Structures are given as C-alpha cells and as structure tokens.
Amino acid sequence: KKRARLNMDMSKNNQGKISAFILCGPFIVTFIITLTFHSGLFFYDPMRFLKGLITPSIIFPMIAAFILITPIGYLLGCIPAIITNLLFKHFFASKLALASWRYSLIYGCLLGFMLAPFILIIAIVTPSPLLTFLYLQFVLILPTTLICTFIEWKRARNRQDINE
C-alpha cells in the first residue's frame, strides 16, 4: 500500500518537472568533452596550458567558445538524454524513492550499461572502435548517468520527505 501511495504521489509531484537527464545530462557531457579535449594539451605541455589560463588573449576566446559550444552540445545531447530518461523511468523511477544512495548509484551504473549496445553500434563505424567505445561508455555515459541518477534520487527523497 505504501509503495502504491508513494508511486501515485511521485506521479503527481513529477508532473511539470524536467528530468535531470534532460536538464543536466547534455551539459555534463559537453563539459566532460571540453575537459578531455583540453587534457591532451595539458599533459603535453602543462606550463603552456597554465600560462594560457591567465593570458586574456587566450582565455576570453576559450570562454566564448565554451559559451557557443554549450547550446550545440545541448542540441546534440537531447536525443540520448530523452532515450536515457525513458529507460530510467521505465526501469528505475518507481524503485528510486525507497532506495539508498548506494542503490541509486547501482541503478545509474546499470542504466549506463543499458546504453552500451547503442554505443557499440556507433563505435563500430569509427576508425578505432575500441577506444571510441571505451571513451563514450566510461568517460561520458557512466559519469553522466551516475550524476543524473543521483540527482533524481535526491529529488525523489525530497518529495518523499515532503509527503510524509
């Protein structure tokens, strides 16, 4: 009974709220991509990279490029975010409010691995499929699904506290 009441309360409170997967997911992925593309420069010549961070002629164009890249990342990330959100709602949303934070992270890992077949299809058509798959799966998808699942868990716990 309590679970049924909780599910009804969650469906009432969840209306009108945008999922963390759609709201935060594309931004997290865009940020991770930006960091990983700069990591090559940082590891190759760290002093040049650090000097560039304090040089206005370098840092302002970098900030402007990040501001321009973020909406493009959102647009490109909308379809994977919607697919991930649908998978999350179908498999884990009803279990999340009663789960501990450890189980929410396990749900996030499982959700990330559910996307592995799609990532494998994308990686097969690239020049280096193994590296592409590993980068997409373990650098982009898993951290993003973990963070977004944790945010959804916190929301579910807050709604549960409000309802009690």
Side-chain angles (χ1 to χ4, degrees), residues 8 24 39 41 50 57-58 79 82 85 107 123 133 138 146 152 163:
M8 287 180 54
C24 302
S39 67
L41 177 61
L50 293 174
S57 63
I58 294 174
I79 293 173
I82 291 170
N85 186 38
Y107 295 154
F133 176 77
F138 295 106
L146 286 171
E152 287 293 321
N163 290 333

Side-chain angles (χ1 to χ4, degrees), residues 50-164:
L50 293 174
K51 285 179 187 175
L53 289 179
I54 59 172
T55 307
S57 63
I58 294 174
I59 193 68
F60 290 132
M62 278 177 54
I63 292 170
F66 183 71
I67 290 171
L68 291 174
I69 289 169
T70 302
I72 295 169
Y74 255 93
L75 292 176
L76 291 175
C78 280
I79 293 173
I82 291 170
I83 292 169
T84 308
N85 186 38
L86 290 173
L87 285 170
F88 172 77
K89 283 184 178 180
H90 183 72
F91 290 106
F92 303 116
S94 62
K95 302 173 186 170
L96 203 60
L98 300 174
S100 67
W101 67 273
R102 288 182 182 108
Y103 277 102
S104 71
L105 294 180
I106 291 170
Y107 295 154
C109 282
L110 290 173
L111 185 63
F113 286 121
M114 283 181 185
L115 296 170
F118 302 114
I119 297 168
L120 191 59
I121 291 169
I122 292 170
I124 287 173
V125 298
T126 62
S128 59
L130 181 63
L131 289 177
T132 304
F133 176 77
L134 292 175
Y135 176 75
L136 290 174
Q137 181 66 42
F138 295 106
V139 177
L140 291 181
I141 301 299
L142 274 179
T144 305
T145 56
L146 286 171
I147 293 168
C148 291
T149 304
F150 188 76
I151 292 169
E152 287 293 321
W153 175 77
K154 288 296 280 182
R155 283 182 174 178
R157 296 296 281 209
N158 288 341
R159 283 192 298 266
Q160 183 182 9
D161 290 341
I162 291 170
N163 290 333
E164 290 180 355

